[in-house]
Amino acid sequence: MPKHGKKYRAALEKIEEGRKYSLEEGLAKVKEISAVTARKFDETVELTMWLGVDPRKADQLVRGTVVLPHGVGKTVRVLVIAQGEKVREAEEAGADMTGGEDVVNRIKGGWLDFDAVIATPDMMRLVGQLGKVLGPRGLMPNPKTGTVTFDVATAVRETKAGKVEYRVDKTGVIHVGIGKVSFADDALRENAQTLIDAVVKAKPSTAKGKYVKKVNLAPTMGPGVLLDETAYAR
């Protein structure tokens, strides 16, 4: 097992062993840790939630989207696959790239210079051919995440504003970036609370026992800070 570097170990010493922090305390600790490790880039603050669900059961697959009030701290390049009037609507809403079959063919040829894809339902017959390319990268449009819609203007604006997707993995864990270490304290707190509230609200009716089992905050390359999960029990 690889040993952690000197900076990581110094950051780890800043965390009180066995303590579970409030959200405000946890975010302050993440900023302190990031200052100790002194990375040469603006680290992402990552929030991880361990849920008491069985993802193998379709009715316990916790998944959804939420617009973080202060965005995620990066410019999102949005591609809209549409035709006719919907192309104009997407462009007016701020889409970075638009197109139809021509774009689909470009993606087949290896073009992937975008961060999010939105498609109108009538184009899914073509977009469906891209499943093996876009699926593994988490870019495949899906009605459940609002990325297959005729309301392309709203979808583009929300994506640009900081819309993120959360989805429980096969081990029952949700992992989402909620902003940058450089964000103001209130901005990070509101982003984190918005995501947590959304995940708690999405609790499946079939889930038994403790739903939120563990919550962790961490900078990109630093140790994690445990939060008091009892604050999110329901």
Side-chain angles (χ1 to χ4, degrees), residues 206-220:
T206 54
K208 306 298 181 184
K210 190 175 184 179
Y211 178 53
V212 180
K213 299 170 72 174
K214 188 165 68 169
V215 184
N216 184 79
L217 285 171
T220 304

Side-chain angles (χ1 to χ4, degrees), residues 67-81:
V67 177
L68 300 183
H70 301 281
V72 293
K74 72 172 185 177
T75 300
V76 181
R77 299 168 298 171
V78 179
L79 165 65
V80 175
I81 302 177

Side-chain angles (χ1 to χ4, degrees), residues 11 25 36 47 60 89 128 132 141 161 175 179 212 225:
E25 292 170 337
V36 170
L47 188 147
Q60 292 191 35
E89 290 179 17
K132 291 183 179 179
H175 185 84
V212 180
V225 178

